[in-house]
Coordinates of all heavy atoms in Angstrom, one line a residue:
M1 N 0.8 -1.2 0.0 CA 0.0 0.0 0.0 C 0.9 1.3 0.0 O 0.6 2.2 -0.7 CB -0.9 0.0 1.2 CG -1.9 1.1 1.3 SD -3.0 1.1 -0.1 CE -4.2 2.1 0.5
M2 N 1.9 1.3 0.8 CA 2.8 2.4 0.9 C 3.6 2.6 -0.4 O 3.7 3.7 -0.9 CB 3.8 2.3 2.1 CG 4.6 3.5 2.3 SD 3.6 4.8 2.8 CE 4.8 5.8 3.6
F3 N 4.0 1.5 -1.0 CA 4.7 1.6 -2.3 C 3.8 2.2 -3.4 O 4.2 3.1 -4.1 CB 5.1 0.2 -2.8 CG 5.8 0.2 -4.1 CD1 7.0 0.7 -4.3 CD2 5.1 -0.3 -5.2 CE1 7.6 0.8 -5.5 CE2 5.7 -0.2 -6.5 CZ 7.0 0.3 -6.6
R4 N 2.5 1.8 -3.4 CA 1.6 2.4 -4.4 C 1.4 3.9 -4.1 O 1.3 4.7 -5.1 CB 0.2 1.7 -4.3 CG -0.7 2.1 -5.4 CD -1.9 1.2 -5.5 NE -2.8 1.6 -4.4 CZ -3.8 0.9 -4.0 NH1 -4.1 -0.2 -4.6 NH2 -4.5 1.3 -3.0
S5 N 1.3 4.3 -2.9 CA 1.2 5.7 -2.6 C 2.4 6.5 -3.0 O 2.3 7.6 -3.5 CB 0.9 5.9 -1.1 OG -0.3 5.2 -0.7
L6 N 3.6 6.0 -2.8 CA 4.8 6.7 -3.2 C 4.9 6.8 -4.7 O 5.4 7.8 -5.2 CB 6.0 5.9 -2.6 CG 6.2 6.1 -1.1 CD1 7.4 5.2 -0.6 CD2 6.5 7.6 -0.7
L7 N 4.5 5.7 -5.4 CA 4.5 5.8 -6.8 C 3.5 6.8 -7.3 O 3.9 7.6 -8.2 CB 4.0 4.4 -7.4 CG 4.0 4.3 -8.9 CD1 5.4 4.5 -9.5 CD2 3.4 2.9 -9.3
L8 N 2.3 6.9 -6.8 CA 1.4 8.0 -7.1 C 2.0 9.4 -6.9 O 1.9 10.3 -7.7 CB 0.1 7.8 -6.3 CG -1.1 7.3 -7.0 CD1 -2.2 7.2 -5.9 CD2 -1.6 8.2 -8.1
L9 N 2.6 9.5 -5.8 CA 3.2 10.8 -5.4 C 4.3 11.2 -6.4 O 4.3 12.3 -6.9 CB 3.8 10.8 -4.0 CG 4.5 12.0 -3.5 CD1 3.4 13.1 -3.4 CD2 5.1 11.8 -2.1
S10 N 5.1 10.3 -6.8 CA 6.2 10.6 -7.7 C 5.7 10.9 -9.1 O 6.2 11.7 -9.8 CB 7.2 9.4 -7.8 OG 6.6 8.3 -8.3
L11 N 4.6 10.2 -9.5 CA 4.0 10.5 -10.8 C 3.4 11.9 -10.9 O 3.6 12.6 -11.9 CB 2.9 9.5 -11.1 CG 3.3 8.1 -11.5 CD1 2.1 7.1 -11.7 CD2 4.1 8.1 -12.8
F12 N 2.7 12.3 -9.8 CA 2.2 13.7 -9.8 C 3.3 14.7 -9.8 O 3.2 15.7 -10.4 CB 1.3 13.9 -8.6 CG -0.1 13.4 -8.9 CD1 -0.7 12.3 -8.2 CD2 -0.9 14.0 -9.9 CE1 -1.9 11.9 -8.4 CE2 -2.2 13.5 -10.1 CZ -2.7 12.5 -9.4
A13 N 4.4 14.4 -9.0 CA 5.5 15.3 -9.0 C 6.1 15.5 -10.3 O 6.5 16.6 -10.8 CB 6.5 14.9 -7.9
G14 N 6.3 14.4 -11.1 CA 6.8 14.4 -12.4 C 6.0 15.2 -13.4 O 6.5 15.9 -14.2
C15 N 4.7 15.0 -13.3 CA 3.8 15.8 -14.1 C 3.8 17.3 -13.8 O 3.7 18.1 -14.7 CB 2.4 15.3 -14.0 SG 2.1 13.6 -14.7
A16 N 4.0 17.6 -12.6 CA 4.0 19.0 -12.2 C 5.3 19.7 -12.8 O 5.3 20.9 -13.1 CB 4.0 19.2 -10.7
L17 N 6.3 19.0 -12.9 CA 7.6 19.5 -13.5 C 7.7 19.4 -15.0 O 8.5 20.1 -15.6 CB 8.8 18.8 -12.8 CG 8.9 18.9 -11.3 CD1 10.0 18.1 -10.8 CD2 9.0 20.4 -10.9
A18 N 6.8 18.6 -15.6 CA 6.9 18.5 -17.1 C 6.5 19.8 -17.7 O 5.6 20.5 -17.3 CB 6.0 17.4 -17.5
I19 N 7.1 20.0 -18.9 CA 6.9 21.3 -19.6 C 6.2 20.9 -20.9 O 6.5 19.8 -21.5 CB 8.2 22.0 -19.9 CG1 8.7 22.5 -18.6 CG2 8.0 23.1 -20.9 CD1 10.0 23.2 -18.7
K20 N 5.3 21.7 -21.4 CA 4.6 21.5 -22.7 C 5.1 22.6 -23.6 O 5.2 23.8 -23.2 CB 3.1 21.6 -22.5 CG 2.6 20.4 -21.7 CD 1.1 20.5 -21.7 CE 0.6 19.3 -20.9 NZ -0.6 18.7 -21.4
C21 N 5.5 22.2 -24.8 CA 6.0 23.1 -25.8 C 5.3 22.9 -27.1 O 4.8 21.8 -27.4 CB 7.5 22.9 -26.0 SG 8.5 23.3 -24.6
K22 N 5.4 23.9 -28.0 CA 5.0 23.8 -29.4 C 6.2 23.2 -30.1 O 7.4 23.6 -29.8 CB 4.7 25.1 -30.0 CG 3.6 25.8 -29.3 CD 2.3 25.2 -29.7 CE 1.1 26.1 -29.2 NZ -0.2 25.5 -29.5
V23 N 6.0 22.1 -30.9 CA 7.1 21.5 -31.6 C 6.7 21.4 -33.1 O 5.6 20.9 -33.4 CB 7.4 20.1 -31.0 CG1 8.4 19.3 -31.8 CG2 7.8 20.2 -29.6
G24 N 7.6 21.8 -33.9 CA 7.4 21.8 -35.4 C 8.3 22.7 -36.1 O 9.2 23.3 -35.6
A25 N 8.0 22.9 -37.4 CA 8.9 23.7 -38.2 C 8.0 24.4 -39.3 O 7.0 23.9 -39.8 CB 10.0 22.9 -38.9
Y26 N 8.5 25.6 -39.7 CA 7.8 26.4 -40.7 C 8.9 26.9 -41.7 O 10.0 27.3 -41.2 CB 7.1 27.6 -40.2 CG 5.8 27.3 -39.5 CD1 5.8 27.1 -38.1 CD2 4.6 27.3 -40.2 CE1 4.6 26.8 -37.5 CE2 3.4 27.0 -39.6 CZ 3.4 26.7 -38.2 OH 2.2 26.5 -37.6
V27 N 8.6 26.8 -43.0 CA 9.5 27.3 -44.0 C 8.7 28.3 -44.8 O 7.7 28.0 -45.4 CB 10.1 26.2 -44.9 CG1 10.9 26.9 -46.0 CG2 10.9 25.2 -44.1
D28 N 9.1 29.6 -44.7 CA 8.4 30.7 -45.4 C 6.9 30.7 -45.0 O 6.0 30.8 -45.8 CB 8.5 30.6 -46.9 CG 9.9 31.2 -47.3 OD1 10.5 31.9 -46.6 OD2 10.3 30.9 -48.5
G29 N 6.6 30.4 -43.7 CA 5.2 30.5 -43.2 C 4.4 29.2 -43.4 O 3.3 29.2 -43.0
E30 N 5.0 28.2 -44.1 CA 4.2 27.0 -44.3 C 4.9 25.9 -43.5 O 6.1 25.7 -43.5 CB 4.2 26.6 -45.8 CG 3.4 27.6 -46.6 CD 3.3 27.1 -48.0 OE1 3.4 25.9 -48.3 OE2 3.2 28.0 -48.9
G31 N 4.0 25.1 -42.8 CA 4.6 24.0 -42.0 C 3.5 23.5 -41.0 O 2.3 23.8 -41.2
E32 N 4.0 22.8 -40.0 CA 3.1 22.2 -39.0 C 3.7 22.3 -37.6 O 4.9 22.2 -37.4 CB 2.8 20.8 -39.4 CG 1.8 20.1 -38.5 CD 1.5 18.7 -39.0 OE1 1.6 18.4 -40.2 OE2 1.2 17.8 -38.2
M33 N 2.8 22.5 -36.6 CA 3.3 22.6 -35.3 C 2.3 21.8 -34.4 O 1.1 21.8 -34.6 CB 3.3 24.1 -34.8 CG 4.0 24.2 -33.5 SD 4.2 26.0 -32.9 CE 4.4 26.9 -34.4
K34 N 2.8 21.1 -33.4 CA 2.0 20.3 -32.5 C 2.3 20.7 -31.1 O 3.4 21.1 -30.8 CB 2.2 18.8 -32.7 CG 1.8 18.3 -34.1 CD 2.0 16.9 -34.2 CE 1.6 16.4 -35.6 NZ 1.8 15.0 -35.8
D35 N 1.4 20.4 -30.2 CA 1.6 20.5 -28.7 C 2.3 19.2 -28.3 O 1.9 18.2 -28.7 CB 0.3 20.7 -28.0 CG -0.4 22.0 -28.3 OD1 0.3 22.9 -28.9 OD2 -1.5 22.2 -28.0
M36 N 3.3 19.4 -27.4 CA 4.1 18.2 -27.0 C 4.4 18.3 -25.5 O 4.8 19.3 -25.0 CB 5.3 18.0 -27.8 CG 6.1 16.8 -27.5 SD 7.5 16.7 -28.7 CE 8.0 15.0 -28.5
D37 N 4.3 17.1 -24.8 CA 4.8 17.0 -23.4 C 6.3 16.7 -23.5 O 6.7 15.7 -24.1 CB 4.1 15.9 -22.7 CG 2.6 16.2 -22.5 OD1 2.3 17.4 -22.3 OD2 1.8 15.2 -22.5
C38 N 7.1 17.6 -23.0 CA 8.5 17.4 -23.0 C 9.0 16.5 -21.9 O 8.2 16.2 -21.0 CB 9.2 18.7 -22.9 SG 8.8 19.9 -24.3
L39 N 10.2 16.1 -21.9 CA 10.8 15.2 -20.9 C 11.0 16.1 -19.6 O 11.1 17.3 -19.7 CB 12.2 14.7 -21.3 CG 12.2 13.8 -22.6 CD1 13.7 13.5 -22.9 CD2 11.4 12.6 -22.3
A40 N 11.0 15.4 -18.5 CA 11.1 16.1 -17.2 C 12.4 16.8 -17.1 O 12.5 17.8 -16.3 CB 10.9 15.1 -16.0
T41 N 13.4 16.4 -17.8 CA 14.8 17.0 -17.7 C 14.8 18.3 -18.5 O 15.8 19.0 -18.4 CB 15.8 16.0 -18.2 OG1 15.5 15.6 -19.6 CG2 15.9 14.8 -17.3
Q42 N 13.8 18.6 -19.4 CA 13.8 19.8 -20.2 C 12.9 20.8 -19.5 O 11.8 20.6 -19.2 CB 13.3 19.5 -21.6 CG 14.2 18.5 -22.3 CD 13.5 17.9 -23.6 OE1 12.3 17.7 -23.6 NE2 14.3 17.8 -24.6
D43 N 13.5 22.0 -19.2 CA 12.8 23.0 -18.5 C 12.5 24.3 -19.3 O 12.1 25.3 -18.8 CB 13.5 23.4 -17.2 CG 14.9 23.9 -17.4 OD1 15.4 23.9 -18.6 OD2 15.6 24.4 -16.5
K44 N 12.9 24.2 -20.6 CA 12.6 25.3 -21.5 C 12.2 24.8 -22.9 O 12.3 23.7 -23.2 CB 13.9 26.2 -21.7 CG 14.3 26.9 -20.4 CD 15.4 27.8 -20.7 CE 15.7 28.6 -19.4 NZ 16.5 29.8 -19.7
C45 N 11.5 25.7 -23.6 CA 11.2 25.5 -25.0 C 12.1 26.5 -25.8 O 12.5 27.5 -25.3 CB 9.8 25.9 -25.3 SG 8.6 24.9 -24.3
S46 N 12.3 26.2 -27.1 CA 13.1 27.1 -27.9 C 12.5 27.3 -29.2 O 11.8 26.4 -29.8 CB 14.6 26.5 -28.0 OG 14.6 25.3 -28.7
K47 N 12.9 28.4 -29.8 CA 12.5 28.8 -31.2 C 13.7 29.3 -31.9 O 14.4 30.2 -31.4 CB 11.4 29.9 -31.2 CG 11.0 30.4 -32.5 CD 10.1 31.6 -32.4 CE 9.9 32.2 -33.8 NZ 9.1 33.5 -33.7
T48 N 14.0 28.7 -33.0 CA 15.2 29.1 -33.8 C 14.8 29.6 -35.1 O 14.0 28.9 -35.8 CB 16.2 27.9 -34.0 OG1 16.5 27.4 -32.7 CG2 17.5 28.3 -34.7
T49 N 15.2 30.7 -35.5 CA 14.9 31.3 -36.8 C 16.2 31.5 -37.6 O 17.2 32.0 -37.1 CB 14.2 32.7 -36.6 OG1 13.1 32.5 -35.8 CG2 13.8 33.3 -38.0
S50 N 16.1 31.0 -38.9 CA 17.3 31.2 -39.7 C 16.8 31.5 -41.2 O 15.7 31.2 -41.5 CB 18.2 30.0 -39.7 OG 17.5 28.9 -40.2
V51 N 17.7 32.1 -41.9 CA 17.4 32.5 -43.3 C 18.5 31.8 -44.2 O 19.7 32.1 -44.0 CB 17.3 34.0 -43.6 CG1 17.1 34.3 -45.0 CG2 16.3 34.6 -42.7
L52 N 18.1 31.0 -45.1 CA 19.0 30.3 -46.0 C 18.4 30.4 -47.4 O 17.3 30.1 -47.6 CB 19.2 28.8 -45.7 CG 20.2 28.5 -44.5 CD1 20.1 27.1 -44.1 CD2 21.6 28.9 -44.9
A53 N 19.2 30.8 -48.4 CA 18.8 31.0 -49.8 C 17.5 31.7 -49.9 O 16.6 31.3 -50.7 CB 18.7 29.6 -50.4
G54 N 17.3 32.8 -49.1 CA 16.1 33.6 -49.1 C 14.9 33.0 -48.5 O 13.8 33.6 -48.6
K55 N 15.0 31.8 -47.9 CA 13.9 31.2 -47.2 C 14.1 31.3 -45.7 O 15.1 31.0 -45.2 CB 13.8 29.7 -47.6 CG 13.4 29.6 -49.1 CD 13.0 28.1 -49.4 CE 12.7 28.0 -50.8 NZ 11.3 28.1 -51.1
T56 N 13.0 31.7 -45.0 CA 13.0 31.8 -43.6 C 12.5 30.5 -43.0 O 11.4 30.1 -43.3 CB 12.1 33.0 -43.1 OG1 12.6 34.2 -43.7 CG2 12.2 33.2 -41.6
T57 N 13.3 30.0 -42.1 CA 12.9 28.7 -41.4 C 12.8 29.0 -39.9 O 13.7 29.6 -39.3 CB 14.0 27.7 -41.6 OG1 14.2 27.5 -43.0 CG2 13.7 26.3 -41.0
E58 N 11.7 28.5 -39.3 CA 11.5 28.6 -37.9 C 11.3 27.2 -37.4 O 10.5 26.4 -37.9 CB 10.3 29.4 -37.6 CG 10.4 30.8 -38.0 CD 9.1 31.6 -37.7 OE1 8.0 31.0 -37.6 OE2 9.2 32.8 -37.5
A59 N 12.1 26.8 -36.3 CA 12.0 25.5 -35.7 C 11.6 25.7 -34.2 O 12.2 26.5 -33.5 CB 13.3 24.8 -35.8
Y60 N 10.6 25.0 -33.8 CA 10.1 25.0 -32.4 C 10.4 23.6 -31.8 O 10.0 22.6 -32.3 CB 8.6 25.3 -32.4 CG 8.3 26.6 -33.0 CD1 8.1 26.8 -34.4 CD2 8.1 27.7 -32.2 CE1 7.8 28.0 -34.9 CE2 7.7 28.9 -32.7 CZ 7.6 29.1 -34.1 OH 7.3 30.3 -34.7
L61 N 11.1 23.6 -30.6 CA 11.6 22.4 -30.0 C 11.4 22.4 -28.5 O 11.4 23.5 -27.9 CB 13.0 22.1 -30.3 CG 13.4 22.0 -31.8 CD1 14.9 22.1 -32.0 CD2 12.9 20.8 -32.4
C62 N 11.5 21.3 -27.9 CA 11.6 21.1 -26.4 C 13.1 21.3 -26.1 O 13.9 20.8 -26.8 CB 11.2 19.8 -25.9 SG 9.4 19.4 -26.0
G63 N 13.4 22.0 -25.0 CA 14.7 22.1 -24.5 C 15.3 23.5 -24.8 O 14.8 24.3 -25.6
A64 N 16.4 23.8 -24.1 CA 17.0 25.1 -24.3 C 17.8 25.2 -25.6 O 18.0 24.2 -26.2 CB 18.0 25.4 -23.1
C65 N 18.1 26.4 -26.0 CA 18.9 26.6 -27.2 C 20.2 25.9 -27.1 O 20.9 26.0 -26.1 CB 19.1 28.1 -27.4 SG 17.6 29.0 -27.8
I66 N 20.6 25.3 -28.2 CA 21.9 24.7 -28.4 C 22.9 25.8 -29.0 O 24.0 26.0 -28.5 CB 21.9 23.4 -29.2 CG1 21.0 22.4 -28.5 CG2 23.3 22.9 -29.4 CD1 20.7 21.2 -29.3
L67 N 22.4 26.4 -30.1 CA 23.2 27.5 -30.7 C 22.5 28.8 -30.3 O 21.3 28.9 -30.3 CB 23.2 27.3 -32.2 CG 23.7 25.9 -32.8 CD1 23.4 25.8 -34.3 CD2 25.2 25.8 -32.4
E68 N 23.3 29.8 -30.1 CA 22.7 31.1 -29.6 C 22.3 31.9 -30.8 O 21.4 32.7 -30.7 CB 23.7 31.8 -28.8 CG 24.0 31.2 -27.5 CD 24.9 32.0 -26.6 OE1 25.0 33.2 -26.8 OE2 25.5 31.4 -25.7
D69 N 22.8 31.7 -32.0 CA 22.5 32.5 -33.1 C 21.1 32.3 -33.6 O 20.8 31.2 -34.1 CB 23.5 32.3 -34.2 CG 23.4 33.3 -35.4 OD1 23.0 34.5 -35.1 OD2 23.6 32.9 -36.5
G70 N 20.2 33.2 -33.5 CA 18.8 33.1 -34.0 C 17.9 32.3 -33.1 O 16.8 31.9 -33.5
C71 N 18.3 32.0 -31.9 CA 17.5 31.1 -31.0 C 17.1 31.9 -29.8 O 17.8 32.7 -29.2 CB 18.4 29.9 -30.6 SG 17.4 28.7 -29.7
E72 N 15.9 31.6 -29.4 CA 15.3 32.2 -28.2 C 14.7 31.1 -27.3 O 14.0 30.2 -27.8 CB 14.2 33.2 -28.5 CG 14.5 34.3 -29.4 CD 13.3 35.1 -29.8 OE1 12.2 35.0 -29.2 OE2 13.4 35.9 -30.8
D73 N 15.0 31.1 -26.0 CA 14.5 30.2 -25.0 C 13.2 30.8 -24.5 O 13.1 32.1 -24.4 CB 15.4 30.0 -23.8 CG 16.6 29.2 -24.2 OD1 16.6 28.4 -25.2 OD2 17.6 29.3 -23.5
C74 N 12.2 30.0 -24.0 CA 11.1 30.5 -23.4 C 10.7 29.6 -22.2 O 11.0 28.4 -22.2 CB 9.9 30.7 -24.3 SG 9.1 29.2 -24.7
S75 N 10.2 30.2 -21.2 CA 9.7 29.4 -20.0 C 8.3 29.9 -19.6 O 7.9 29.6 -18.5 CB 10.7 29.5 -18.9 OG 10.9 30.8 -18.5
T76 N 7.7 30.6 -20.5 CA 6.3 31.1 -20.3 C 5.4 30.6 -21.4 O 5.7 29.6 -22.0 CB 6.3 32.6 -20.1 OG1 6.8 33.2 -21.3 CG2 7.0 33.0 -18.9
D77 N 4.5 31.4 -21.8 CA 3.5 31.1 -22.9 C 3.0 29.7 -22.7 O 2.4 29.4 -21.7 CB 4.2 31.3 -24.3 CG 4.5 32.8 -24.5 OD1 3.8 33.6 -24.0 OD2 5.4 33.0 -25.3
Y78 N 3.3 28.8 -23.6 CA 2.8 27.4 -23.5 C 3.8 26.5 -22.9 O 3.6 25.3 -22.7 CB 2.5 26.9 -24.9 CG 1.7 25.6 -24.9 CD1 0.4 25.5 -24.4 CD2 2.3 24.4 -25.3 CE1 -0.2 24.3 -24.3 CE2 1.7 23.2 -25.2 CZ 0.4 23.2 -24.7 OH -0.3 22.0 -24.6
C79 N 4.9 27.1 -22.4 CA 6.0 26.3 -21.9 C 5.7 25.5 -20.6 O 6.3 24.4 -20.4 CB 7.2 27.2 -21.6 SG 7.9 27.8 -23.2
N80 N 4.8 26.0 -19.8 CA 4.6 25.3 -18.5 C 3.1 25.1 -18.3 O 2.7 25.3 -17.2 CB 5.3 26.0 -17.4 CG 5.7 25.1 -16.3 OD1 5.6 23.9 -16.4 ND2 6.2 25.7 -15.2
G81 N 2.4 24.6 -19.2 CA 1.0 24.4 -19.1 C 0.5 23.3 -18.2 O -0.6 23.3 -17.8
A82 N 1.4 22.4 -17.7 CA 1.0 21.3 -16.9 C 1.1 21.6 -15.4 O 0.5 20.9 -14.6 CB 1.9 20.1 -17.2
S83 N 1.7 22.7 -15.0 CA 2.0 22.9 -13.6 C 0.8 23.0 -12.7 O 0.7 22.4 -11.7 CB 2.9 24.1 -13.4 OG 4.2 23.8 -13.8
S84 N -0.1 23.9 -13.0 CA -1.2 24.2 -12.1 C -2.1 23.0 -11.8 O -2.4 22.8 -10.6 CB -2.0 25.4 -12.6 OG -2.6 25.1 -13.8
L85 N -2.5 22.3 -12.8 CA -3.4 21.2 -12.5 C -2.7 20.1 -11.8 O -3.2 19.4 -10.9 CB -4.0 20.6 -13.9 CG -4.9 19.5 -13.8 CD1 -6.2 19.9 -13.0 CD2 -5.4 19.0 -15.2
S86 N -1.5 19.8 -12.1 CA -0.7 18.7 -11.5 C -0.4 19.1 -10.0 O -0.3 18.2 -9.2 CB 0.6 18.4 -12.3 OG 0.2 17.9 -13.5
L87 N -0.2 20.3 -9.7 CA 0.1 20.7 -8.3 C -1.1 20.4 -7.4 O -0.9 20.0 -6.3 CB 0.5 22.2 -8.3 CG 1.9 22.4 -8.7 CD1 2.2 24.0 -8.7 CD2 3.0 21.7 -7.9
V88 N -2.3 20.6 -8.0 CA -3.5 20.3 -7.2 C -3.5 18.8 -6.9 O -3.8 18.3 -5.8 CB -4.8 20.7 -8.0 CG1 -6.0 20.1 -7.3 CG2 -4.8 22.2 -8.1
G89 N -3.2 18.0 -7.9 CA -3.1 16.5 -7.7 C -2.1 16.1 -6.8 O -2.2 15.2 -5.9
L90 N -0.9 16.8 -6.8 CA 0.2 16.5 -5.9 C -0.2 16.8 -4.4 O 0.0 16.0 -3.5 CB 1.4 17.4 -6.2 CG 2.6 17.3 -5.4 CD1 3.2 15.8 -5.3 CD2 3.7 18.2 -5.8
L91 N -0.9 17.9 -4.2 CA -1.4 18.3 -2.9 C -2.4 17.3 -2.4 O -2.4 16.9 -1.2 CB -1.9 19.7 -2.9 CG -0.9 20.8 -3.0 CD1 -1.6 22.2 -3.1 CD2 0.1 20.8 -1.9
A92 N -3.3 16.9 -3.2 CA -4.3 15.9 -2.8 C -3.7 14.6 -2.4 O -4.1 13.9 -1.5 CB -5.3 15.7 -4.0
T93 N -2.6 14.2 -3.2 CA -1.9 12.9 -2.8 C -1.2 13.0 -1.5 O -1.2 12.1 -0.7 CB -0.9 12.6 -3.9 OG1 -1.6 12.5 -5.2 CG2 -0.2 11.3 -3.7
V94 N -0.6 14.2 -1.2 CA 0.1 14.4 0.0 C -0.9 14.3 1.2 O -0.6 13.7 2.2 CB 0.9 15.7 0.0 CG1 1.4 16.1 1.4 CG2 2.1 15.6 -0.9
L95 N -2.0 15.0 1.0 CA -3.0 15.0 2.1 C -3.5 13.6 2.3 O -3.8 13.1 3.4 CB -4.2 15.9 1.7 CG -3.9 17.4 1.8 CD1 -5.1 18.2 1.3 CD2 -3.6 17.8 3.2
Y96 N -3.7 12.8 1.2 CA -4.2 11.4 1.3 C -3.1 10.6 2.1 O -3.5 9.8 3.0 CB -4.3 10.8 -0.1 CG -4.6 9.3 -0.1 CD1 -5.9 8.9 0.3 CD2 -3.6 8.4 -0.4 CE1 -6.1 7.5 0.3 CE2 -3.9 7.1 -0.4 CZ -5.1 6.6 -0.1 OH -5.4 5.3 -0.1
L97 N -1.9 10.8 1.9 CA -0.8 10.1 2.6 C -0.8 10.4 4.1 O -0.5 9.6 4.9 CB 0.5 10.3 2.0 CG 0.7 9.7 0.6 CD1 2.1 10.2 0.0 CD2 0.7 8.2 0.6
L98 N -1.0 11.7 4.4 CA -1.0 12.2 5.8 C -2.2 11.6 6.6 O -2.1 11.3 7.8 CB -1.0 13.7 5.8 CG 0.3 14.4 5.4 CD1 0.1 15.9 5.3 CD2 1.5 14.0 6.2
V99 N -3.3 11.5 5.9 CA -4.5 11.0 6.6 C -4.5 9.5 6.9 O -5.0 9.0 7.9 CB -5.8 11.4 5.8 CG1 -7.0 10.7 6.3 CG2 -5.9 12.9 5.7
Q100 N -3.8 8.8 6.0 CA -3.7 7.3 6.2 C -3.1 6.9 7.5 O -2.3 7.3 8.0 CB -2.9 6.7 5.0 CG -3.8 6.3 3.9 CD -3.0 5.4 2.9 OE1 -1.7 5.5 2.8 NE2 -3.6 4.6 2.2

């Protein structure tokens, strides 16, 4: 019973720390982007813009910038959409463990 409670607690903690980012690419305004749950080790989202042969490319990824040129990190907007709901679940789990 205690093992199950600890597993539940760790799952909620992991969800609270998970970041959601937009992931995809656009070339001259055409492309596709999706919402994605990033890994718990990634705490930022990034957008990289570059121009090659007159075409503007934008790449949206989970994780901080690797190259600084044309890249911006974000930790707001859609970057942390999981936190508020998961924190409620985390608190409920802690209260449940205390009452047992």
Side-chain angles (χ1 to χ4, degrees):
M1 181 67 161
M2 185 65 158
F3 176 74
R4 189 172 72 190
S5 298
L6 288 174
L7 180 63
L8 253 176
L9 181 62
S10 64
L11 286 175
F12 277 116
C15 289
L17 298 175
I19 291 177
K20 294 185 179 216
C21 296
K22 299 284 188 182
V23 176
Y26 285 92
V27 177
D28 283 341
E30 293 185 27
E32 187 175 327
M33 193 178 323
K34 296 181 180 180
D35 296 342
M36 183 174 196
D37 294 327
C38 300
L39 299 174
T41 56
Q42 297 169 319
D43 61 352
K44 292 189 177 198
C45 301
S46 61
K47 174 187 172 186
T48 305
T49 305
S50 61
V51 178
L52 282 170
K55 295 191 180 268
T56 302
T57 303
E58 295 177 336
Y60 298 83
L61 302 167
C62 290
C65 290
I66 297 171
L67 304 173
E68 292 185 21
D69 191 31
C71 188
E72 300 173 17
D73 288 336
C74 77
S75 57
T76 57
D77 292 334
Y78 190 68
C79 294
N80 210 3
S83 288
S84 60
L85 182 60
S86 295
L87 285 177
V88 171
L90 177 62
L91 289 175
T93 304
V94 169
L95 287 173
Y96 172 77
L97 291 173
L98 290 174
V99 172
Q100 268 190 334

